[in-house]
Amino acid sequence: MSKRKPALTADERSFNRKIRWSRRAIYIERLWPRLWALISVAGLFVLASFFGLWPMLDELTHIGVLTAFAVAGASALLFALLTKWPSRDEAVHRLEQLAGVRHRPASTYSDTLSSAAPDGTTAAIWNAHRERLKQDLNKLQVTPPVPRTDKYE
C-alpha cells in the first residue's frame, strides 16, 4: 500500500512555483556563457563565408577547415547541452539572497522539530515560528536571470 502525501497549501504551492522559476533562472544564467562558444563558432563560419574564404582554398585545406568548424561546433553544442540543472537548495539560496529577507526563511521552512511529541508550549512556539516564516516566504520574489558571459560553471 502506498502512503498518500498530504495536500499542499496555497502558500506551499506558491513557494514551490517560486523555486521552479528560480531554478530556471539559474539554468539560464549557467547556459548563456556556454552558448557564446557556439555563437562564436557560427559567427566565425559566417564571417569566413562572407569574405569568400572557401573559393580561395584548395580542396584538402577546404575539407580540413570545414572539419575543424564541424568539430568546434559539435564541441560547443555538447558544452552547452551539458549545462548542469540547479538543485532545489541552489534555487532556495538564490531566492533568499536576491530577496533581501533576513534569517533565511526559505531554508528554515522545511525544518522539523527534533522531538517526537512536542508539548503544548513547544507546539505553540513552533506554530508561531512557522506562521512568521510563511509571511516572510510571501515576500520572496523571483528575479529575472542575470546572464553574464564573464563567468561560467
Side-chain angles (χ1 to χ4, degrees), residues 20-144:
R20 281 193 306 273
W21 281 107
S22 181
R23 289 176 90 175
R24 290 175 184 143
I26 293 170
Y27 183 75
I28 290 170
E29 290 171 352
R30 289 179 179 173
L31 180 63
W32 183 246
R34 291 169 174 250
L35 284 178
W36 269 103
L38 185 60
I39 292 168
S40 298
V41 170
L44 284 173
F45 182 82
V46 169
L47 207 59
S49 299
F50 181 74
F51 284 116
L53 175 69
W54 310 120
M56 293 185 236
L57 301 176
D58 62 90
E59 186 177 345
L60 189 58
T61 308
H62 188 136
I63 291 171
V65 172
L66 285 178
T67 303
F69 270 116
V71 168
S75 299
L77 180 62
L78 182 64
F79 182 58
L81 291 175
L82 291 177
T83 303
K84 188 177 101 176
W85 187 255
S87 69
R88 180 180 173 90
D89 289 340
E90 290 171 316
V92 167
H93 179 71
R94 183 181 193 276
L95 273 173
E96 292 172 332
Q97 193 175 36
L98 298 177
V101 293
R102 298 179 352 167
H103 305 301
R104 301 177 14 187
S107 300
T108 57
Y109 188 73
S110 59
D111 290 348
T112 58
L113 284 174
S114 60
S115 61
D119 61 6
T121 306
T122 304
I125 292 171
W126 182 251
N127 289 335
H129 169 69
R130 298 277 291 175
E131 285 304 314
R132 191 186 82 237
L133 285 177
K134 281 183 186 178
Q135 292 171 0
D136 287 344
L137 287 177
N138 290 332
K139 295 177 188 174
L140 294 177
Q141 296 295 320
V142 180
T143 58

